[in-house]
């Protein structure tokens, strides 16, 4: 049976609303047992059932770690340097104003239905992503200003945007803008989510699924157009990848320890020690993108007062959070961006713990300690709530520790747990004091989506503010030397005005048995399994 036929006969995948926006990359792995060899099935334990396996629609971590293997992208991104490298496109040009991107495609690449990866297919794919609207949960933002594609010749396609969109070059390396065959768009988005007609050019093809139990991918025969960043060329080493859906962390780690799995994602801090040695290894990397943070609604309650927000920023002991609740695999936040993000700026001095400085700010601002230790001014208690969902196992524990830390400066942080769907609705309504979240992307433009008044505007700022200006400036050129000053200014403004209070960088820890090798990550911290192999 062909991959296309298998996809058409696949059962519907049950959507689970566990929105994980973070992952990890490139860490330490024990020495491989000899040179890589082909063959075998990697049994990989994942923490939730993917909500959709169409790369262009999915946003959950589990979904992305499956879908990334099914499609190729126009470009790839070096996890170490952030540099954009060739993949389906051999080379490209960007217009001076960053509104037009011309890609020259490599010859010979085909989709799993044997149709060519040509300029017409790329145009159809990008038009299809744009047509998805908000169903393209990540691609929708990347293509917000997308106007049209033009087929210049069979191997050359030009994509045009209505405003400067420097971020698009990095976006073109992501799975969310992975290229699907024209035939895929004869199916509905819902059908593609279930694997029906999901036709990519990637190193693996969708084979089967058992609802809430497993998803199986098979090697694409004849694949010879891998990314220039892959460690080898030709077909993938693995014959198959068997994603075992194991939501309970203890069961997942137990299955790995007992040999029922070859590798497992989302290893929790409490379980890390058992996979350090003893025939096991761990692959670890901090997430690029927005770190876990308390994002302030500057139009609500005490958070309208910048001095209060600045006091909260000084009153969080990030090192204690990591040392007490997390592990050495995690890093205290040193900016609103994670340290693995291109153009990250180290603001660790501005984010140093300073309980006395926080108290002095509040004293000078007229906030007086009450009998319960919580400050007040003009009868208003120094109190705000934080809305969160448990997308990361340790979220509540982290917030409870932050709550204790802020009580020392007389600030009452109230913790409100909601489902992911509820948190999304609260965020859209603006009915919050603080939002607790993180977002993964290996590009500083991720900040525009959260802070620009033309986009998410989670701080509820007034249009035309200095942060808007800096956000627009960093999105206007692909030249990093010219872009960096604006990106630095964005990070500095967010911290100086305490529009958000960065706390820690999320890290995904993947544990490997002695059999599994090169279970690695790409620049956006998604699993990349082309080079993975079994001994």
């Amino acid at each position: 049976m062909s991959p296309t036929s298998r996809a058409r006969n696949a059962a519907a995948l049950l959507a689970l609303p566990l929105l994980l926006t973070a992952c990890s990359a490139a860490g330490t792995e024990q020495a491989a047992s000899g040179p890589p060899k082909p063959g075998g099935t990697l049994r990989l334990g994942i923490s939730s059932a993917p909500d959709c396996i169409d790369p262009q629609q999915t946003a959950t971590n589990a979904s992305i770690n499956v879908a990334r293997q099914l499609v190729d992208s126009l470009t790839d991104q070096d996890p170490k340097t952030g540099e954009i490298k060739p993949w389906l496109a051999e080379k490209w040009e960007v217009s001076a104003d960053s509104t037009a991107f011309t890609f020259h495609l490599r010859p010979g690449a085909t989709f799993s239905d044997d149709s060519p990866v040509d300029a017409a297919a790329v145009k159809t794919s990008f038009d299809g992503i744009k047509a998805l609207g908000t169903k393209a949960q990540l691609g929708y933002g990347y293509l917000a200003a997308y106007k049209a594609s033009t087929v210049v010749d069979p191997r050359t396609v030009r994509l045009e945007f209505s405003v400067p969109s420097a971020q698009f070059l990095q976006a073109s390396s992501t799975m969310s803008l992975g290229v699907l065959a024209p035939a895929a768009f004869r199916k509905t988005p819902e059908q593609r989510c279930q694997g029906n007609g999901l036709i990519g050019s990637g190193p693996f093809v969708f084979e089967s699924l058992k609802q809430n139990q497993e998803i199986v991918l098979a090697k694409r025969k004849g694949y010879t157009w891998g990314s220039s960043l892959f460690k080898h060329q030709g077909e993938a080493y693995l014959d198959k990848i068997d994603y075992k859906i194991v939501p309970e962390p203890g069961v997942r780690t137990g299955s790995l320890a007992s040999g029922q799995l070859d590798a497992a994602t989302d290893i929790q801090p409490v379980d890390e020690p058992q996979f350090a040695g003893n025939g096991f290894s761990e692959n670890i990397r901090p997430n690029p993108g927005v770190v876990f943070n308390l994002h302030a609604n500057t139009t609500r309650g005490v958070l309208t007062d910048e001095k209060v927000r600045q006091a909260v920023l000084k009153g969080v002991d990030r090192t204690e959070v990591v040392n007490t609740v997390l592990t050495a695999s995690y890093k205290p936040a040193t900016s609103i961006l994670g340290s693995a993000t291109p153009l990250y700026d180290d603001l660790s001095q501005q984010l140093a713990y300073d309980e006395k400085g926080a108290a002095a700010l509040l004293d000078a601002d007229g906030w007086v300690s009450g009998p319960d230790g919580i400050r007040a001014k003009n009868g208003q208690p120094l109190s705000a709530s934080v809305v969160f969902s448990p997308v990361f196992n340790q979220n509540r524990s982290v917030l409870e520790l932050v709550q204790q830390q802020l009580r020392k400066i007389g600030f009452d942080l109230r913790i409100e747990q909601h489902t992911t769907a509820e948190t999304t609705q609260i965020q859209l309504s603006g009915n919050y004091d603080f939002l607790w979240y993180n977002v993964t992307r290996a590009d500083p433009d991720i900040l525009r989506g959260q802070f620009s008044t033309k986009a998410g505007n989670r701080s509820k700022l007034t249009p035309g503010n200095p942060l808007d200006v800096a956000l627009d400036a960093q999105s206007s050129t692909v030249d990093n030397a010219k872009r960096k000053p604006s990106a630095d200014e964005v990070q500095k403004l967010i911290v100086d005005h305490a529009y958000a209070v960065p706390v820690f960088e999320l890290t995904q820890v993947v544990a490997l048995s002695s059999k599994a090798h090169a279970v690695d990550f790409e620049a956006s911290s998604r699993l990349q399994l082309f080079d993975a192999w079994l001994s």
Side-chain angles (χ1 to χ4, degrees), residues 81 156 183 209 215 231 266-267:
T81 67
T156 309
L209 68 83
I215 298 173
K231 295 175 184 175
D266 301 287
I267 301 301

Side-chain angles (χ1 to χ4, degrees), residues 246-519:
V246 190
E248 173 55 47
V251 176
R252 198 163 59 251
T253 55
S255 297
L256 177 59
S258 66
Q260 297 175 66
L261 295 173
D262 303 307
T265 68
D266 301 287
I267 301 301
Q268 298 302 308
V270 69
D271 295 318
E272 279 190 52
Q274 66 180 296
F275 299 114
N278 304 316
F280 294 94
S281 61
E282 294 174 338
N283 205 357
I284 298 166
R285 184 189 191 236
N287 289 24
V290 178
V291 300
F292 264 115
N293 73 98
L294 297 162
H295 195 137
N297 180 344
T298 63
T299 66
R300 293 262 294 198
V302 301
L303 301 184
T304 60
D305 186 338
E306 184 168 304
K307 298 296 184 185
V308 168
R309 301 197 305 270
Q310 290 169 336
V312 172
L313 186 118
K314 290 177 178 292
V316 174
D317 188 342
R318 295 158 185 82
T319 301
E320 184 184 38
V321 168
V322 169
N323 291 345
T324 304
V325 181
L326 304 170
T327 69
S329 299
Y330 297 77
K331 294 183 179 182
T334 50
S335 175
I336 186 63
L337 291 176
S339 56
T341 317
L343 306 185
Y344 147 87
D345 187 27
D346 185 351
L347 301 176
S348 50
Q349 288 191 334
Q350 293 90 323
L351 293 174
Y353 178 50
D354 184 6
E355 183 183 341
K356 290 182 179 178
L361 271 174
L362 295 172
D363 288 341
D365 203 30
W367 294 93
V368 180
S369 249
D372 60 354
I374 300 302
R375 295 173 183 257
K377 182 166 74 170
N378 300 327
Q380 181 182 26
L382 188 59
S383 178
S385 64
V386 55
V387 171
F388 86 102
S389 57
V391 294
F392 173 58
N393 188 263
Q394 302 299 113
N395 269 348
R396 175 168 282 280
S397 297
V398 168
L399 288 172
E400 287 174 349
L401 179 54
V402 170
Q403 180 185 55
Q404 294 171 27
Q405 293 172 350
L406 293 179
R407 284 194 71 88
K408 294 178 183 177
I409 65 169
F411 188 99
D412 175 32
L413 181 68
R414 306 187 311 276
I415 300 172
E416 296 182 7
Q417 180 172 330
H418 296 271
T419 66
T420 299
E422 290 168 347
T423 300
T424 299
Q425 287 306 309
I426 291 168
Q427 178 237 308
L428 291 173
S429 71
N431 188 27
Y432 57 86
D433 299 334
F434 282 120
L435 284 175
W436 174 257
Y437 71 95
N438 83 299
V439 191
T440 294
R441 187 182 178 188
D443 190 275
D445 196 69
I446 189 67
L447 295 172
R448 195 158 52 94
Q450 320 308 316
F451 290 90
S452 172
T453 61
K454 304 169 187 175
N457 195 17
R458 294 183 175 189
S459 300
K460 305 304 174 188
L461 302 177
T462 304
N465 64 79
L467 182 56
D468 265 356
V469 175
L471 285 165
D472 286 347
Q474 66 79 37
S475 71
S476 65
T477 176
V478 296
D479 184 336
N480 279 345
K482 296 179 180 178
R483 193 181 182 200
K484 183 166 175 54
S486 301
D488 288 350
E489 180 69 6
V490 168
Q491 294 167 73
K492 188 173 185 297
L493 285 169
I494 290 168
V495 170
D496 284 352
H497 294 284
Y499 295 139
V501 177
V503 179
F504 76 95
E505 299 186 20
L506 185 65
T507 295
Q508 177 87 8
V509 180
V510 174
L512 311 175
S513 75
S514 59
K515 289 178 56 181
H517 309 281
V519 177

Side-chain angles (χ1 to χ4, degrees), residues 28-289:
T28 57
E29 183 186 338
Q30 63 193 35
S33 303
K37 62 179 184 179
T41 297
L42 176 71
R43 300 166 300 167
L44 177 62
I46 59 176
S47 62
S48 63
D51 60 341
C52 174
I53 56 172
D54 178 3
Q56 296 181 351
Q57 296 183 65
T58 188
T60 68
N61 222 30
S63 302
I64 291 170
N65 284 335
V66 175
R68 173 71 276 184
Q69 323 312 319
L70 300 172
V71 288
D72 300 320
S73 300
L74 288 172
T75 64
D76 203 356
Q77 186 177 16
D78 190 322
K80 296 176 182 176
T81 67
E83 188 178 356
I84 305 302
K85 297 285 192 177
W87 194 345
L88 286 176
E90 293 181 311
K91 59 182 180 178
W92 50 88
E93 295 93 40
V94 182
S95 65
D97 62 357
S98 298
T99 61
F101 299 76
T102 303
F103 294 92
H104 303 272
L105 304 177
R106 67 189 296 168
T110 62
F111 296 103
S112 57
D113 65 352
D114 294 327
S115 62
V117 181
D118 58 13
V122 172
K123 172 179 168 57
T124 299
S125 191
F126 276 85
D127 289 349
I129 299 170
K130 184 68 173 179
L132 284 169
T134 56
K135 288 181 180 178
Q137 296 183 57
L138 299 175
Y140 176 75
Y142 302 160
L143 297 182
Y146 173 77
K147 285 201 306 184
S149 294
T150 301
V151 175
V152 178
D153 62 48
R155 284 178 50 197
T156 309
V157 61
R158 184 172 66 251
L159 287 80
E160 297 178 70
F161 294 78
S162 58
V163 298
S165 300
Q167 59 83 27
F168 173 70
L169 191 58
Q170 185 275 336
S172 72
S173 73
T174 66
M175 170 224 62
S176 305
L177 301 186
V179 182
L180 290 177
F185 297 96
R186 298 172 193 153
K187 300 294 183 180
T188 66
E190 292 74 20
Q191 287 173 315
R192 292 200 302 275
C193 259
Q194 300 166 12
N196 187 348
L198 189 58
I199 307 165
S201 66
F204 292 91
V205 294
F206 176 74
E207 181 172 284
S208 66
L209 68 83
K210 294 179 181 176
Q211 189 170 290
N212 288 327
Q213 295 181 49
E214 69 176 358
I215 298 173
V216 178
L217 308 184
K219 176 192 300 190
R220 169 78 191 277
K221 300 293 185 181
Y223 183 87
T224 59
W225 46 88
S227 161
S228 59
L229 291 172
F230 289 172
K231 295 175 184 175
H232 80 283
Q233 291 299 306
E235 297 178 358
Y237 291 127
L238 297 171
D239 289 335
K240 294 186 179 182
I241 307 167
D242 187 354
Y243 294 88
K244 301 288 189 181
I245 300 163
V246 190
E248 173 55 47
V251 176
R252 198 163 59 251
T253 55
S255 297
L256 177 59
S258 66
Q260 297 175 66
L261 295 173
D262 303 307
T265 68
D266 301 287
I267 301 301
Q268 298 302 308
V270 69
D271 295 318
E272 279 190 52
Q274 66 180 296
F275 299 114
N278 304 316
F280 294 94
S281 61
E282 294 174 338
N283 205 357
I284 298 166
R285 184 189 191 236
N287 289 24

